[in-house]
Amino acid sequence: MLLNLSKEHITAGKKFNRWLVPPAALAVHLSIGMAYGFSVFWKPLGAALTGADGKPVAACAAGATTFAEKIVGTGHALFATDCNWTQFDLGWMYTLFFVLLGCSAAAWGGWLERAGPRKAGLVAMLCWCGGLLISALGVHQHQLWMMWLGSGVIGGVGLGLGYISPVSTLIKWFPDRRGMATGLAIMGFGGGAMIGSPLATKLMSLFATHTDPGVWQTFVVLALIYAVFMTFGSLGYRVPAANWKPEGWTPPDQQHNRMVATRHVHLKNAHKTPQFWLLWLILCMNVSAAIGIIGAAAPMLQETFGGGLIGNPALTFADIKADEALTASAAAVGAGFVGLISLFNIFGRIGWATSSDKLGRRNTYFIFFVLGAMLYVCGTYAANHHQLALFLLVFCVIASMYGGGFATIPAYLADLFGTQFVGAIHGRLLTAWSTAGILGPVIVNYMHDVRLEAQIPYAEIYAPIFMTLAALLGVGFVANLLVRPVADKYFMSDSELAVEQQAGIKSKNESGQLALNDARTPGVMVKLAWLAVLIPISYGIWMTVQKAWSLFA
């Protein structure tokens, strides 16, 4: 019998345990979150082809110095089989990941609301895992275009659908804890690389030979592992019946909290409201102000503190670069800093989002923007006065607010627009992430390179960059200040809402009500589901803590 993916089949009865849905969402997000960890493949892939002497052959873009020359080199690398790829060639996959994530979430968010999260989750699994298999073939055949198409394009679509598939479902199951619910799932996306990167490194070491770095085999194994996790996660999705609410919970009185809507805005009207575009700008500024710095965390720390990282403050980063052993020591500390930032990014997602249930979404974003700007000023002071501990604290908190912004925005949307189309609206809003993924790194990398070419000392490069990023947070603060409740004219009537709630549902009993499976969820099933995701999360945290310990060892 074919698996029933219809929306009425996954509508739960009153005895269903809603705590089974968060681990299902985590299983999907932990899998697709490996997109953040793809950089572990760059070095092995950059030396995949070796000559008769056992040394890596030249890169396709060897000798390229200008941006135009690098682009030409990448064009050659797409189809060449006799030269190696550079990080510039491979790094475009990151751009494809997050551009396609935003675009696919925006394009198919409406379909997701009609089809239900289970079907969307399974399609995401096919795209993400199928993309990994195509990439494996691309590595085996040394065809860069296949990697771009497989993981970058097809996998990027899987990222978009997998990212938003549980959002509206969790918000509907936890109207009393919207921030906590979305924070749990989106924490998984931030934690995917924390688990996947060390696993991929171990797999590559297992499969590697003197002529093969073991990357294509690793892609195949990861695809199989993620297929299992994403399939069981998707099958674990259930949606509550229309107008369901937790036992004993009373919806907030809108007269006392006008920022929490009790009605629903249709997807076709959401982008017509000023609130949508203000939230778009809020997310874009919050992400732009952090993503470029997080992406450059390791070199930023090494350039700013130089020999101070290895117990010799008299050495500058220029001195360290001239010594291979010193470079390796500083790089290890930089990797520890990246691990520490990853932990704060992950736990900031659940911590800030959960806090927003008490503080309110608008107030939470005010904290992000005000505290974030103050921290960038502190970061400038710490860099100028070589205060390493303060510098670490500043950027760990900034990383937590970066993650917290992602986790809080779905609940902010639900407060303003209602829950009926929040998944699809969230999908459209994620184009702000795609924009920020370009804007933030361009600002940081451009200002960095310009100041480096002007021969500014390494330790002084980042101060004006921090001030520029603080200014972006100021723009976000103003946008958040302008957010008001959505006007009545944009909300659906009760009859329009009833039609939308029945979309995709065909099976009803004689009284016209949806026929539900009212069997009680076994407690052991909930415990096993949580165990299945907590074990890999614990593994990832342990590996990351070990790496971060190099900062204090």
Side-chain angles (χ1 to χ4, degrees), residues 136-218:
L137 182 60
V139 173
H140 186 267
Q141 299 297 317
H142 202 73
Q143 290 289 312
L144 181 61
W145 70 268
M146 294 181 73
M147 287 192 64
W148 283 21
L149 173 66
S151 290
V153 177
I154 298 174
V157 172
L159 286 178
L161 289 175
Y163 189 87
I164 64 172
S165 61
V167 169
S168 64
T169 304
L170 283 166
I171 286 175
K172 290 169 185 173
W173 274 119
F174 292 88
D176 51 336
R177 304 177 186 181
R178 288 174 177 172
M180 181 216 68
T182 56
L184 273 173
I186 293 175
M187 178 187 74
F189 190 78
M194 180 182 68
I195 299 167
S197 295
L199 176 60
T201 301
K202 287 184 179 294
L203 288 171
M204 284 189 289
S205 66
L206 177 66
F207 293 122
T209 67
H210 66 284
T211 58
D212 185 347
V215 176
W216 75 263
Q217 300 95 326
T218 298

Side-chain angles (χ1 to χ4, degrees), residues 9-48:
H9 185 75
I10 64 170
T11 301
K14 293 181 180 179
K15 295 179 182 178
F16 177 77
N17 190 329
R18 60 177 177 164
W19 287 98
L20 192 60
V21 181
L26 276 168
V28 173
H29 272 223
L30 288 170
S31 300
I32 61 176
M34 180 53 191
Y36 272 134
F38 255 61
S39 60
V40 299
F41 300 119
W42 295 168
K43 291 296 184 185
L45 287 173

Side-chain angles (χ1 to χ4, degrees), residues 26-111:
L26 276 168
V28 173
H29 272 223
L30 288 170
S31 300
I32 61 176
M34 180 53 191
Y36 272 134
F38 255 61
S39 60
V40 299
F41 300 119
W42 295 168
K43 291 296 184 185
L45 287 173
L49 294 182
T50 56
D53 58 358
K55 296 181 179 179
V57 302
C60 300
T65 56
T66 67
F67 184 79
E69 289 173 344
K70 289 180 181 293
I71 289 293
V72 172
T74 297
H76 174 57
L78 280 172
F79 303 99
T81 59
D82 57 351
C83 52
N84 272 316
W85 303 322
T86 66
Q87 185 169 318
F88 183 83
D89 303 329
L90 295 162
W92 286 100
M93 288 180 63
Y94 265 134
T95 302
L96 289 171
F97 276 151
F98 298 113
V99 169
L100 267 294
L101 185 155
C103 292
S104 60
W108 289 298
W111 168 80

Side-chain angles (χ1 to χ4, degrees), residues 209 226 310 342 354 371 435 441 462 469:
T209 67
Y226 291 149
I310 53 176
S342 297
T354 301
L371 179 59
T435 304
Y462 284 92
L469 299 178

Side-chain angles (χ1 to χ4, degrees), residues 171-383:
I171 286 175
K172 290 169 185 173
W173 274 119
F174 292 88
D176 51 336
R177 304 177 186 181
R178 288 174 177 172
M180 181 216 68
T182 56
L184 273 173
I186 293 175
M187 178 187 74
F189 190 78
M194 180 182 68
I195 299 167
S197 295
L199 176 60
T201 301
K202 287 184 179 294
L203 288 171
M204 284 189 289
S205 66
L206 177 66
F207 293 122
T209 67
H210 66 284
T211 58
D212 185 347
V215 176
W216 75 263
Q217 300 95 326
T218 298
F219 278 166
V220 171
V221 174
L222 288 178
L224 295 174
I225 293 172
Y226 291 149
V228 171
F229 264 80
M230 293 180 74
T231 298
F232 278 99
S234 299
L235 294 178
Y237 288 154
R238 297 288 190 277
V239 295
N243 303 316
W244 175 89
K245 63 180 181 179
E247 187 176 349
W249 176 72
T250 303
D253 185 353
Q254 194 176 22
Q255 304 230 337
H256 292 89
N257 189 356
R258 297 186 66 245
M259 292 298 291
V260 180
T262 56
R263 293 182 293 160
H264 309 270
V265 176
H266 197 285
L267 175 62
K268 66 183 180 183
N269 292 323
H271 68 280
K272 299 176 184 177
T273 67
Q275 287 82 359
F276 176 87
W277 295 107
L278 287 171
L279 263 63
W280 191 99
L281 187 59
I282 286 167
L283 181 63
C284 186
M285 291 300 100
N286 190 64
V287 174
S288 296
I291 194 170
I293 285 295
I294 289 174
M300 177 182 71
L301 187 73
Q302 294 171 65
E303 290 174 350
T304 303
F305 290 94
L309 300 178
I310 53 176
N312 193 343
L315 296 178
T316 66
F317 182 67
D319 299 324
I320 291 176
K321 282 179 65 179
D323 187 299
E324 189 172 332
L326 294 178
T327 299
S329 298
V333 178
F337 182 46
V338 172
L340 198 60
I341 279 181
S342 297
L343 285 177
F344 276 82
N345 174 16
I346 293 160
F347 289 112
R349 294 174 185 239
I350 182 63
W352 284 111
T354 301
S355 298
S356 76
D357 288 331
K358 296 293 185 183
L359 296 171
R361 310 328 153 185
R362 194 162 178 253
N363 290 338
T364 301
Y365 270 96
F366 275 136
I367 294 173
F368 292 163
F369 294 132
V370 174
L371 179 59
M374 292 171 60
L375 286 171
Y376 273 123
V377 174
C378 288
T380 302
Y381 172 85

